[in-house]
Short mmCIF file of all heavy atoms in Angstrom, two decimals:
data_model
loop_
_atom_site.label_atom_id
_atom_site.label_comp_id
_atom_site.label_asym_id
_atom_site.label_seq_id
_atom_site.Cartn_x
_atom_site.Cartn_y
_atom_site.Cartn_z
N MET A 1 25.09 -19.39 -21.85
CA MET A 1 24.34 -18.37 -21.19
C MET A 1 24.67 -18.50 -19.69
O MET A 1 24.52 -19.59 -19.13
CB MET A 1 22.84 -18.57 -21.47
CG MET A 1 22.06 -17.58 -20.69
SD MET A 1 20.29 -17.53 -21.31
CE MET A 1 20.12 -15.82 -21.71
N PRO A 2 24.99 -17.35 -19.03
CA PRO A 2 25.25 -17.48 -17.64
C PRO A 2 24.07 -17.87 -16.76
O PRO A 2 22.93 -17.53 -17.15
CB PRO A 2 25.72 -16.04 -17.19
CG PRO A 2 25.64 -15.24 -18.44
CD PRO A 2 25.08 -16.11 -19.57
N SER A 3 24.31 -18.55 -15.67
CA SER A 3 23.30 -18.84 -14.74
C SER A 3 22.92 -17.69 -13.82
O SER A 3 23.84 -16.94 -13.46
CB SER A 3 23.68 -20.01 -13.80
OG SER A 3 24.02 -21.18 -14.53
N ARG A 4 21.63 -17.39 -13.61
CA ARG A 4 21.28 -16.21 -12.80
C ARG A 4 20.53 -16.75 -11.58
O ARG A 4 19.78 -17.66 -11.66
CB ARG A 4 20.38 -15.26 -13.65
CG ARG A 4 21.09 -14.61 -14.80
CD ARG A 4 20.26 -13.84 -15.72
NE ARG A 4 19.49 -12.78 -15.05
CZ ARG A 4 20.05 -11.70 -14.60
NH1 ARG A 4 21.30 -11.37 -14.74
NH2 ARG A 4 19.29 -10.79 -13.96
N TYR A 5 20.77 -16.12 -10.48
CA TYR A 5 20.18 -16.51 -9.21
C TYR A 5 19.59 -15.28 -8.40
O TYR A 5 20.16 -14.17 -8.59
CB TYR A 5 21.24 -17.09 -8.28
CG TYR A 5 21.72 -18.35 -8.89
CD1 TYR A 5 23.01 -18.31 -9.69
CD2 TYR A 5 21.19 -19.60 -8.63
CE1 TYR A 5 23.50 -19.52 -10.16
CE2 TYR A 5 21.71 -20.77 -9.29
CZ TYR A 5 22.90 -20.68 -9.98
OH TYR A 5 23.39 -21.81 -10.52
N LEU A 6 18.56 -15.57 -7.74
CA LEU A 6 17.97 -14.51 -6.77
C LEU A 6 18.52 -14.93 -5.38
O LEU A 6 18.33 -15.99 -4.93
CB LEU A 6 16.51 -14.58 -6.81
CG LEU A 6 15.77 -13.80 -5.69
CD1 LEU A 6 16.03 -12.34 -5.89
CD2 LEU A 6 14.34 -14.14 -5.69
N ARG A 7 19.24 -14.00 -4.80
CA ARG A 7 19.67 -14.15 -3.38
C ARG A 7 18.63 -13.45 -2.57
O ARG A 7 18.35 -12.26 -2.65
CB ARG A 7 21.01 -13.56 -3.09
CG ARG A 7 21.36 -13.67 -1.75
CD ARG A 7 22.69 -14.27 -1.21
NE ARG A 7 23.55 -14.99 -2.04
CZ ARG A 7 23.90 -16.21 -1.75
NH1 ARG A 7 23.28 -16.93 -0.63
NH2 ARG A 7 24.74 -16.85 -2.49
N TYR A 8 17.96 -14.30 -1.67
CA TYR A 8 16.93 -13.75 -0.76
C TYR A 8 17.32 -14.17 0.65
O TYR A 8 17.27 -15.34 0.94
CB TYR A 8 15.55 -14.36 -1.20
CG TYR A 8 14.41 -14.10 -0.32
CD1 TYR A 8 13.61 -12.94 -0.62
CD2 TYR A 8 14.01 -14.86 0.70
CE1 TYR A 8 12.55 -12.62 0.20
CE2 TYR A 8 12.90 -14.61 1.54
CZ TYR A 8 12.25 -13.49 1.28
OH TYR A 8 11.14 -13.12 2.08
N GLY A 9 17.73 -13.17 1.37
CA GLY A 9 18.26 -13.53 2.71
C GLY A 9 19.45 -14.39 2.56
O GLY A 9 20.39 -14.07 1.83
N ASP A 10 19.53 -15.53 3.14
CA ASP A 10 20.63 -16.51 3.05
C ASP A 10 20.38 -17.61 2.12
O ASP A 10 21.16 -18.57 2.03
CB ASP A 10 21.04 -16.98 4.38
CG ASP A 10 19.94 -17.80 5.14
OD1 ASP A 10 18.85 -17.76 4.62
OD2 ASP A 10 20.29 -18.42 6.14
N GLN A 11 19.33 -17.47 1.28
CA GLN A 11 18.94 -18.50 0.31
C GLN A 11 19.27 -18.06 -1.06
O GLN A 11 19.31 -16.83 -1.37
CB GLN A 11 17.46 -18.87 0.44
CG GLN A 11 17.07 -19.40 1.75
CD GLN A 11 17.55 -20.82 2.02
OE1 GLN A 11 17.63 -21.66 1.18
NE2 GLN A 11 18.17 -20.91 3.18
N ARG A 12 19.43 -18.96 -1.97
CA ARG A 12 19.68 -18.66 -3.48
C ARG A 12 18.78 -19.43 -4.28
O ARG A 12 18.72 -20.73 -4.05
CB ARG A 12 21.15 -18.90 -3.71
CG ARG A 12 21.59 -18.40 -5.07
CD ARG A 12 23.10 -18.39 -5.13
NE ARG A 12 23.52 -19.64 -5.82
CZ ARG A 12 24.64 -19.86 -6.44
NH1 ARG A 12 25.48 -18.86 -6.46
NH2 ARG A 12 24.87 -20.95 -7.02
N TYR A 13 18.13 -18.83 -5.21
CA TYR A 13 17.14 -19.51 -6.10
C TYR A 13 17.51 -19.16 -7.59
O TYR A 13 17.81 -18.06 -7.96
CB TYR A 13 15.71 -19.03 -5.83
CG TYR A 13 15.29 -19.20 -4.46
CD1 TYR A 13 15.47 -18.16 -3.53
CD2 TYR A 13 14.60 -20.30 -3.91
CE1 TYR A 13 15.02 -18.36 -2.21
CE2 TYR A 13 14.21 -20.48 -2.65
CZ TYR A 13 14.50 -19.40 -1.79
OH TYR A 13 13.98 -19.60 -0.47
N ILE A 14 17.33 -20.20 -8.44
CA ILE A 14 17.53 -19.91 -9.88
C ILE A 14 16.35 -18.94 -10.29
O ILE A 14 15.22 -19.06 -9.87
CB ILE A 14 17.38 -21.24 -10.61
CG1 ILE A 14 18.57 -22.16 -10.31
CG2 ILE A 14 17.31 -20.95 -12.13
CD1 ILE A 14 18.42 -23.53 -10.84
N ILE A 15 16.71 -17.93 -11.12
CA ILE A 15 15.64 -17.08 -11.59
C ILE A 15 15.76 -16.83 -13.09
O ILE A 15 16.83 -16.81 -13.64
CB ILE A 15 15.83 -15.67 -10.85
CG1 ILE A 15 14.58 -14.79 -11.07
CG2 ILE A 15 17.13 -15.05 -11.17
CD1 ILE A 15 14.49 -13.54 -10.21
N THR A 16 14.63 -16.81 -13.70
CA THR A 16 14.46 -16.55 -15.09
C THR A 16 14.22 -15.09 -15.33
O THR A 16 13.99 -14.36 -14.41
CB THR A 16 13.29 -17.28 -15.73
OG1 THR A 16 12.07 -16.83 -15.18
CG2 THR A 16 13.29 -18.83 -15.51
N ARG A 17 14.38 -14.70 -16.66
CA ARG A 17 14.28 -13.26 -16.95
C ARG A 17 12.76 -12.84 -16.67
O ARG A 17 12.45 -11.70 -16.17
CB ARG A 17 14.46 -12.96 -18.42
CG ARG A 17 15.96 -13.17 -18.81
CD ARG A 17 16.73 -12.00 -18.38
NE ARG A 17 18.20 -12.22 -18.74
CZ ARG A 17 19.06 -11.38 -18.36
NH1 ARG A 17 18.87 -10.34 -17.65
NH2 ARG A 17 20.38 -11.71 -18.72
N GLU A 18 11.82 -13.70 -16.93
CA GLU A 18 10.38 -13.47 -16.68
C GLU A 18 10.18 -13.33 -15.16
O GLU A 18 9.46 -12.41 -14.80
CB GLU A 18 9.48 -14.64 -17.26
CG GLU A 18 8.06 -14.38 -17.22
CD GLU A 18 7.43 -14.93 -15.94
OE1 GLU A 18 8.00 -15.84 -15.38
OE2 GLU A 18 6.31 -14.31 -15.54
N ALA A 19 10.74 -14.21 -14.34
CA ALA A 19 10.56 -14.07 -12.96
C ALA A 19 11.22 -12.79 -12.42
O ALA A 19 10.73 -12.16 -11.45
CB ALA A 19 11.17 -15.26 -12.23
N GLU A 20 12.43 -12.38 -12.98
CA GLU A 20 13.00 -11.19 -12.57
C GLU A 20 12.12 -10.01 -12.92
O GLU A 20 12.06 -9.06 -12.10
CB GLU A 20 14.42 -11.00 -13.21
CG GLU A 20 15.13 -9.85 -12.75
CD GLU A 20 16.55 -9.79 -13.31
OE1 GLU A 20 17.02 -10.74 -14.04
OE2 GLU A 20 17.17 -8.77 -13.13
N ALA A 21 11.50 -10.07 -14.08
CA ALA A 21 10.55 -8.89 -14.43
C ALA A 21 9.36 -8.84 -13.38
O ALA A 21 9.05 -7.71 -12.94
CB ALA A 21 10.03 -9.09 -15.85
N ARG A 22 8.79 -9.99 -12.96
CA ARG A 22 7.82 -9.99 -11.99
C ARG A 22 8.33 -9.54 -10.63
O ARG A 22 7.66 -8.83 -9.90
CB ARG A 22 7.20 -11.36 -11.91
CG ARG A 22 6.32 -11.74 -12.98
CD ARG A 22 5.53 -13.08 -12.76
NE ARG A 22 6.37 -14.14 -12.85
CZ ARG A 22 6.70 -14.95 -11.89
NH1 ARG A 22 6.30 -14.77 -10.73
NH2 ARG A 22 7.52 -15.98 -12.06
N LEU A 23 9.57 -9.83 -10.28
CA LEU A 23 10.24 -9.29 -9.07
C LEU A 23 10.33 -7.74 -9.09
O LEU A 23 9.87 -7.15 -8.06
CB LEU A 23 11.56 -9.92 -8.92
CG LEU A 23 12.42 -9.31 -7.79
CD1 LEU A 23 11.86 -9.60 -6.42
CD2 LEU A 23 13.90 -9.89 -7.81
N HIS A 24 10.76 -7.25 -10.21
CA HIS A 24 10.80 -5.78 -10.28
C HIS A 24 9.45 -5.10 -10.15
O HIS A 24 9.39 -4.03 -9.47
CB HIS A 24 11.51 -5.37 -11.63
CG HIS A 24 12.97 -5.68 -11.58
ND1 HIS A 24 13.85 -4.99 -10.80
CD2 HIS A 24 13.70 -6.57 -12.18
CE1 HIS A 24 15.06 -5.46 -10.98
NE2 HIS A 24 14.98 -6.51 -11.81
N ARG A 25 8.47 -5.69 -10.72
CA ARG A 25 7.04 -5.15 -10.66
C ARG A 25 6.63 -5.25 -9.21
O ARG A 25 5.96 -4.27 -8.68
CB ARG A 25 6.09 -5.88 -11.66
CG ARG A 25 6.34 -5.55 -13.08
CD ARG A 25 5.21 -6.00 -13.85
NE ARG A 25 4.98 -7.47 -13.84
CZ ARG A 25 5.61 -8.29 -14.70
NH1 ARG A 25 6.42 -7.93 -15.59
NH2 ARG A 25 5.33 -9.60 -14.56
N THR A 26 6.97 -6.35 -8.53
CA THR A 26 6.57 -6.49 -7.08
C THR A 26 7.29 -5.47 -6.23
O THR A 26 6.69 -4.86 -5.37
CB THR A 26 6.85 -7.95 -6.58
OG1 THR A 26 6.16 -8.86 -7.49
CG2 THR A 26 6.49 -8.12 -5.18
N LEU A 27 8.59 -5.31 -6.49
CA LEU A 27 9.37 -4.31 -5.71
C LEU A 27 8.82 -2.94 -5.93
O LEU A 27 8.62 -2.10 -4.96
CB LEU A 27 10.84 -4.35 -6.11
CG LEU A 27 11.63 -5.49 -5.71
CD1 LEU A 27 12.95 -5.62 -6.40
CD2 LEU A 27 11.76 -5.56 -4.14
N ASP A 28 8.33 -2.57 -7.17
CA ASP A 28 7.84 -1.26 -7.45
C ASP A 28 6.57 -1.08 -6.61
O ASP A 28 6.33 -0.02 -6.07
CB ASP A 28 7.55 -1.04 -8.87
CG ASP A 28 8.76 -0.96 -9.74
OD1 ASP A 28 9.86 -0.64 -9.25
OD2 ASP A 28 8.59 -1.12 -11.08
N ALA A 29 5.75 -2.18 -6.53
CA ALA A 29 4.40 -2.11 -5.74
C ALA A 29 4.76 -1.95 -4.34
O ALA A 29 4.03 -1.16 -3.61
CB ALA A 29 3.67 -3.32 -6.10
N VAL A 30 5.75 -2.69 -3.77
CA VAL A 30 5.96 -2.72 -2.35
C VAL A 30 6.50 -1.31 -1.90
O VAL A 30 6.12 -0.78 -0.91
CB VAL A 30 7.14 -3.76 -2.06
CG1 VAL A 30 7.61 -3.58 -0.64
CG2 VAL A 30 6.44 -5.20 -2.07
N TYR A 31 7.30 -0.62 -2.76
CA TYR A 31 7.82 0.66 -2.38
C TYR A 31 6.98 1.85 -2.88
O TYR A 31 7.37 3.00 -2.70
CB TYR A 31 9.33 0.77 -2.93
CG TYR A 31 10.30 -0.10 -2.12
CD1 TYR A 31 10.62 -1.37 -2.51
CD2 TYR A 31 10.74 0.41 -0.87
CE1 TYR A 31 11.57 -2.11 -1.76
CE2 TYR A 31 11.58 -0.37 -0.15
CZ TYR A 31 11.99 -1.60 -0.52
OH TYR A 31 12.82 -2.35 0.28
N ALA A 32 5.92 1.49 -3.50
CA ALA A 32 5.09 2.71 -3.96
C ALA A 32 4.34 3.33 -2.78
O ALA A 32 4.13 2.69 -1.72
CB ALA A 32 3.93 2.03 -4.88
N THR A 33 4.09 4.66 -2.96
CA THR A 33 3.46 5.30 -1.87
C THR A 33 2.04 4.80 -1.60
O THR A 33 1.31 4.45 -2.56
CB THR A 33 3.31 6.86 -2.36
OG1 THR A 33 4.62 7.35 -2.63
CG2 THR A 33 2.70 7.72 -1.27
N GLY A 34 1.80 4.60 -0.33
CA GLY A 34 0.49 4.13 0.04
C GLY A 34 0.40 2.64 0.00
O GLY A 34 -0.74 2.08 0.20
N SER A 35 1.45 1.83 -0.27
CA SER A 35 1.37 0.43 -0.37
C SER A 35 1.25 -0.30 1.05
O SER A 35 1.53 0.42 2.12
CB SER A 35 2.54 -0.25 -1.14
OG SER A 35 3.59 -0.52 -0.22
N SER A 36 0.87 -1.44 1.09
CA SER A 36 0.82 -2.11 2.36
C SER A 36 2.14 -2.49 2.94
O SER A 36 2.29 -2.91 4.13
CB SER A 36 0.06 -3.47 2.23
OG SER A 36 0.69 -4.42 1.30
N GLY A 37 3.24 -2.30 2.18
CA GLY A 37 4.59 -2.52 2.67
C GLY A 37 5.16 -3.92 2.37
O GLY A 37 6.25 -4.15 2.69
N HIS A 38 4.35 -4.78 1.83
CA HIS A 38 4.77 -6.12 1.51
C HIS A 38 3.85 -6.81 0.49
O HIS A 38 2.72 -6.33 0.33
CB HIS A 38 4.89 -7.05 2.74
CG HIS A 38 3.53 -7.40 3.33
ND1 HIS A 38 2.94 -6.56 4.19
CD2 HIS A 38 2.72 -8.43 3.16
CE1 HIS A 38 1.76 -7.09 4.57
NE2 HIS A 38 1.64 -8.22 3.93
N GLN A 39 4.38 -7.73 -0.27
CA GLN A 39 3.71 -8.56 -1.23
C GLN A 39 4.27 -10.01 -1.29
O GLN A 39 5.57 -10.03 -1.12
CB GLN A 39 3.62 -7.97 -2.57
CG GLN A 39 2.70 -6.74 -2.66
CD GLN A 39 2.41 -6.36 -4.20
OE1 GLN A 39 2.70 -7.10 -5.14
NE2 GLN A 39 1.80 -5.21 -4.36
N TRP A 40 3.54 -10.88 -1.65
CA TRP A 40 4.09 -12.22 -1.92
C TRP A 40 4.44 -12.33 -3.45
O TRP A 40 3.73 -11.89 -4.36
CB TRP A 40 3.05 -13.31 -1.60
CG TRP A 40 2.96 -13.51 -0.06
CD1 TRP A 40 1.94 -12.98 0.68
CD2 TRP A 40 3.76 -14.21 0.73
NE1 TRP A 40 2.15 -13.30 1.99
CE2 TRP A 40 3.29 -14.06 1.97
CE3 TRP A 40 5.00 -14.99 0.57
CZ2 TRP A 40 3.89 -14.68 3.09
CZ3 TRP A 40 5.53 -15.58 1.62
CH2 TRP A 40 4.99 -15.41 2.88
N LEU A 41 5.57 -13.04 -3.72
CA LEU A 41 6.00 -13.27 -5.08
C LEU A 41 6.01 -14.73 -5.31
O LEU A 41 6.78 -15.43 -4.48
CB LEU A 41 7.31 -12.60 -5.35
CG LEU A 41 8.06 -13.00 -6.74
CD1 LEU A 41 7.35 -12.35 -7.87
CD2 LEU A 41 9.41 -12.58 -6.75
N ASN A 42 5.41 -15.24 -6.32
CA ASN A 42 5.47 -16.65 -6.68
C ASN A 42 6.66 -16.71 -7.67
O ASN A 42 6.53 -16.29 -8.87
CB ASN A 42 4.21 -17.15 -7.37
CG ASN A 42 3.13 -17.36 -6.49
OD1 ASN A 42 3.37 -17.84 -5.33
ND2 ASN A 42 1.89 -17.00 -6.79
N LEU A 43 7.75 -17.19 -7.23
CA LEU A 43 9.01 -17.21 -7.99
C LEU A 43 8.93 -18.07 -9.26
O LEU A 43 9.30 -17.78 -10.36
CB LEU A 43 10.22 -17.53 -7.18
CG LEU A 43 11.57 -17.47 -7.76
CD1 LEU A 43 11.84 -15.95 -8.19
CD2 LEU A 43 12.69 -17.80 -6.80
N TYR A 44 8.41 -19.32 -9.08
CA TYR A 44 8.21 -20.25 -10.12
C TYR A 44 6.79 -20.37 -10.49
O TYR A 44 6.14 -21.33 -10.20
CB TYR A 44 8.85 -21.64 -9.75
CG TYR A 44 10.29 -21.57 -9.22
CD1 TYR A 44 10.63 -22.01 -8.09
CD2 TYR A 44 11.22 -20.93 -10.04
CE1 TYR A 44 11.99 -21.86 -7.62
CE2 TYR A 44 12.56 -20.68 -9.73
CZ TYR A 44 12.90 -21.30 -8.52
OH TYR A 44 14.24 -21.23 -8.03
N HIS A 45 6.35 -19.43 -11.26
CA HIS A 45 4.97 -19.25 -11.71
C HIS A 45 4.67 -20.49 -12.60
O HIS A 45 5.48 -20.91 -13.40
CB HIS A 45 4.82 -18.01 -12.53
CG HIS A 45 3.49 -17.53 -12.79
ND1 HIS A 45 2.61 -17.17 -11.70
CD2 HIS A 45 2.73 -17.37 -13.86
CE1 HIS A 45 1.45 -16.85 -12.29
NE2 HIS A 45 1.46 -16.97 -13.60
N ASP A 46 3.51 -21.04 -12.45
CA ASP A 46 3.03 -22.20 -13.22
C ASP A 46 3.93 -23.45 -13.02
O ASP A 46 4.15 -24.24 -13.98
CB ASP A 46 2.92 -21.84 -14.75
CG ASP A 46 2.01 -20.74 -15.07
OD1 ASP A 46 0.98 -20.63 -14.44
OD2 ASP A 46 2.24 -20.05 -16.07
N SER A 47 4.42 -23.60 -11.88
CA SER A 47 5.17 -24.79 -11.51
C SER A 47 4.47 -25.64 -10.52
O SER A 47 3.59 -25.16 -9.76
CB SER A 47 6.55 -24.32 -10.94
OG SER A 47 7.23 -25.39 -10.41
N VAL A 48 4.88 -26.99 -10.60
CA VAL A 48 4.28 -27.92 -9.61
C VAL A 48 4.86 -27.79 -8.25
O VAL A 48 4.44 -28.16 -7.26
CB VAL A 48 4.37 -29.30 -10.08
CG1 VAL A 48 3.59 -29.55 -11.39
CG2 VAL A 48 5.82 -29.74 -10.31
N ALA A 49 6.06 -27.04 -8.25
CA ALA A 49 6.74 -26.81 -6.94
C ALA A 49 6.85 -25.24 -6.75
O ALA A 49 7.83 -24.60 -6.97
CB ALA A 49 8.18 -27.39 -7.02
N PRO A 50 5.74 -24.71 -6.31
CA PRO A 50 5.67 -23.25 -6.19
C PRO A 50 6.61 -22.78 -5.03
O PRO A 50 6.88 -23.49 -4.06
CB PRO A 50 4.25 -22.89 -5.73
CG PRO A 50 3.76 -24.17 -5.19
CD PRO A 50 4.43 -25.29 -5.77
N CYS A 51 7.17 -21.68 -5.17
CA CYS A 51 8.10 -20.98 -4.26
C CYS A 51 7.63 -19.59 -4.04
O CYS A 51 7.72 -18.69 -4.80
CB CYS A 51 9.51 -21.02 -4.83
SG CYS A 51 10.62 -20.23 -3.76
N ARG A 52 7.06 -19.38 -2.81
CA ARG A 52 6.54 -18.04 -2.58
C ARG A 52 7.46 -17.29 -1.60
O ARG A 52 7.98 -17.85 -0.59
CB ARG A 52 5.19 -18.11 -1.87
CG ARG A 52 4.13 -18.59 -2.81
CD ARG A 52 2.72 -18.66 -2.10
NE ARG A 52 2.40 -17.34 -1.86
CZ ARG A 52 1.46 -16.98 -0.92
NH1 ARG A 52 0.85 -17.93 -0.24
NH2 ARG A 52 1.14 -15.69 -0.77
N LEU A 53 7.87 -16.06 -2.00
CA LEU A 53 8.73 -15.28 -1.21
C LEU A 53 8.00 -14.04 -0.74
O LEU A 53 7.36 -13.39 -1.62
CB LEU A 53 9.96 -14.87 -1.94
CG LEU A 53 10.82 -15.99 -2.66
CD1 LEU A 53 11.92 -15.46 -3.45
CD2 LEU A 53 11.31 -16.95 -1.57
N LEU A 54 8.24 -13.59 0.48
CA LEU A 54 7.63 -12.36 1.02
C LEU A 54 8.57 -11.24 0.60
O LEU A 54 9.72 -11.22 1.14
CB LEU A 54 7.41 -12.37 2.47
CG LEU A 54 6.76 -11.17 3.09
CD1 LEU A 54 5.35 -10.97 2.56
CD2 LEU A 54 6.69 -11.28 4.56
N ILE A 55 8.11 -10.28 -0.16
CA ILE A 55 8.96 -9.19 -0.53
C ILE A 55 8.50 -7.96 0.33
O ILE A 55 7.38 -7.53 0.27
CB ILE A 55 8.75 -8.82 -2.06
CG1 ILE A 55 9.00 -10.02 -2.88
CG2 ILE A 55 9.60 -7.68 -2.60
CD1 ILE A 55 10.38 -10.66 -2.81
N ALA A 56 9.45 -7.55 1.09
CA ALA A 56 9.15 -6.37 2.05
C ALA A 56 10.32 -5.56 2.16
O ALA A 56 11.52 -6.00 2.00
CB ALA A 56 8.69 -7.01 3.36
N PRO A 57 10.17 -4.33 2.57
CA PRO A 57 11.33 -3.46 2.81
C PRO A 57 12.23 -4.05 3.88
O PRO A 57 11.83 -4.66 4.87
CB PRO A 57 10.78 -2.10 3.32
CG PRO A 57 9.36 -2.18 2.76
CD PRO A 57 8.90 -3.57 2.79
N GLY A 58 13.57 -3.91 3.68
CA GLY A 58 14.50 -4.45 4.65
C GLY A 58 14.95 -5.94 4.45
O GLY A 58 15.89 -6.31 5.06
N VAL A 59 14.31 -6.63 3.63
CA VAL A 59 14.66 -7.97 3.19
C VAL A 59 15.77 -7.87 2.17
O VAL A 59 15.60 -7.37 1.12
CB VAL A 59 13.54 -8.84 2.74
CG1 VAL A 59 14.01 -10.26 2.40
CG2 VAL A 59 12.46 -8.91 3.84
N PRO A 60 16.98 -8.44 2.46
CA PRO A 60 18.03 -8.32 1.47
C PRO A 60 17.71 -9.19 0.19
O PRO A 60 17.53 -10.38 0.32
CB PRO A 60 19.25 -8.86 2.24
CG PRO A 60 18.78 -9.57 3.40
CD PRO A 60 17.34 -9.08 3.74
N ILE A 61 17.69 -8.60 -0.92
CA ILE A 61 17.42 -9.24 -2.23
C ILE A 61 18.48 -8.80 -3.21
O ILE A 61 18.71 -7.51 -3.33
CB ILE A 61 16.03 -8.84 -2.71
CG1 ILE A 61 14.95 -9.38 -1.73
CG2 ILE A 61 15.81 -9.57 -4.14
CD1 ILE A 61 13.58 -8.89 -2.13
N SER A 62 19.04 -9.63 -3.96
CA SER A 62 19.94 -9.31 -4.96
C SER A 62 19.85 -10.39 -6.14
O SER A 62 19.43 -11.45 -5.98
CB SER A 62 21.40 -9.18 -4.55
OG SER A 62 21.89 -10.37 -3.98
N ILE A 63 20.32 -10.00 -7.37
CA ILE A 63 20.41 -10.84 -8.43
C ILE A 63 21.93 -11.19 -8.66
O ILE A 63 22.68 -10.19 -8.73
CB ILE A 63 19.79 -10.33 -9.70
CG1 ILE A 63 18.43 -9.94 -9.52
CG2 ILE A 63 19.94 -11.26 -10.92
CD1 ILE A 63 17.46 -11.18 -9.29
N GLU A 64 22.32 -12.44 -8.76
CA GLU A 64 23.68 -12.76 -8.92
C GLU A 64 23.72 -13.51 -10.36
O GLU A 64 22.88 -14.25 -10.66
CB GLU A 64 24.12 -13.73 -7.89
CG GLU A 64 24.07 -13.19 -6.46
CD GLU A 64 24.40 -14.18 -5.41
OE1 GLU A 64 24.55 -15.41 -5.72
OE2 GLU A 64 24.46 -13.73 -4.22
N THR A 65 24.87 -13.41 -11.01
CA THR A 65 25.14 -13.98 -12.20
C THR A 65 26.44 -14.78 -12.14
O THR A 65 27.42 -14.24 -11.69
CB THR A 65 25.23 -12.92 -13.42
OG1 THR A 65 24.15 -12.16 -13.48
CG2 THR A 65 25.51 -13.66 -14.78
N GLU A 66 26.42 -16.07 -12.49
CA GLU A 66 27.59 -16.90 -12.57
C GLU A 66 27.93 -17.20 -14.05
O GLU A 66 26.98 -17.51 -14.82
CB GLU A 66 27.35 -18.20 -11.92
CG GLU A 66 27.35 -18.17 -10.39
CD GLU A 66 27.27 -19.62 -9.84
OE1 GLU A 66 27.13 -20.55 -10.38
OE2 GLU A 66 27.27 -19.58 -8.52
N PRO A 67 29.19 -16.96 -14.45
CA PRO A 67 29.54 -17.17 -15.82
C PRO A 67 29.58 -18.73 -16.16
O PRO A 67 29.57 -19.55 -15.25
CB PRO A 67 30.99 -16.75 -15.89
CG PRO A 67 31.45 -16.66 -14.48
CD PRO A 67 30.24 -16.55 -13.66
N ASP A 68 29.29 -18.98 -17.49
CA ASP A 68 29.34 -20.35 -17.86
C ASP A 68 30.73 -20.90 -17.74
O ASP A 68 31.75 -20.20 -17.78
CB ASP A 68 28.99 -20.49 -19.32
CG ASP A 68 27.48 -20.42 -19.61
OD1 ASP A 68 26.75 -20.75 -18.67
OD2 ASP A 68 27.16 -20.01 -20.71
N PRO A 69 30.90 -22.26 -17.43
CA PRO A 69 32.21 -22.82 -17.18
C PRO A 69 33.09 -22.64 -18.48
O PRO A 69 34.32 -22.60 -18.36
CB PRO A 69 31.95 -24.31 -16.96
CG PRO A 69 30.45 -24.43 -16.61
CD PRO A 69 29.87 -23.17 -17.16
N GLY A 70 32.57 -22.49 -19.68
CA GLY A 70 33.26 -22.35 -20.91
C GLY A 70 33.74 -20.93 -21.15
O GLY A 70 34.53 -20.70 -22.08
N ASP A 71 33.42 -19.95 -20.35
CA ASP A 71 33.72 -18.60 -20.57
C ASP A 71 35.10 -18.27 -20.05
O ASP A 71 35.55 -18.77 -19.14
CB ASP A 71 32.73 -17.59 -19.90
CG ASP A 71 31.45 -17.62 -20.65
OD1 ASP A 71 31.38 -18.05 -21.81
OD2 ASP A 71 30.47 -17.09 -20.05
#
């Protein structure tokens, strides 16, 4: 299975499908009409090492996929 990463600004974080789904819901809320314009996303939900990212318009965000070495 390929490794998936969230690129947030100049940082890169491992992302799961569940975290990606939460990211999409957060983006929908941030860009919704009448929103406050930003929200915090806990990337590693239920983890002892929480990672909170501020999701706001203008912050560069992308999902990257790296193929397995065996591919």
Side-chain angles (χ1 to χ4, degrees):
M1 176 170 236
S3 299
R4 296 176 53 77
Y5 298 93
L6 169 68
R7 174 132 342 244
Y8 177 85
D10 62 351
Q11 300 292 315
R12 193 168 93 157
Y13 303 92
I14 294 171
I15 190 166
T16 64
R17 295 283 182 187
E18 187 269 333
E20 187 176 352
R22 285 188 289 108
L23 171 64
H24 287 289
R25 288 192 298 272
T26 302
L27 287 168
D28 288 345
V30 166
Y31 287 98
T33 303
S35 91
S36 65
H38 67 277
Q39 285 195 11
W40 287 97
L41 171 69
N42 289 317
L43 189 58
Y44 303 127
H45 197 65
D46 298 330
S47 171
V48 295
C51 178
R52 291 183 66 200
L53 302 175
L54 182 63
I55 307 301
V59 176
I61 298 172
S62 63
I63 302 293
E64 301 174 352
T65 303
E66 284 186 359
D68 281 336
D71 289 345

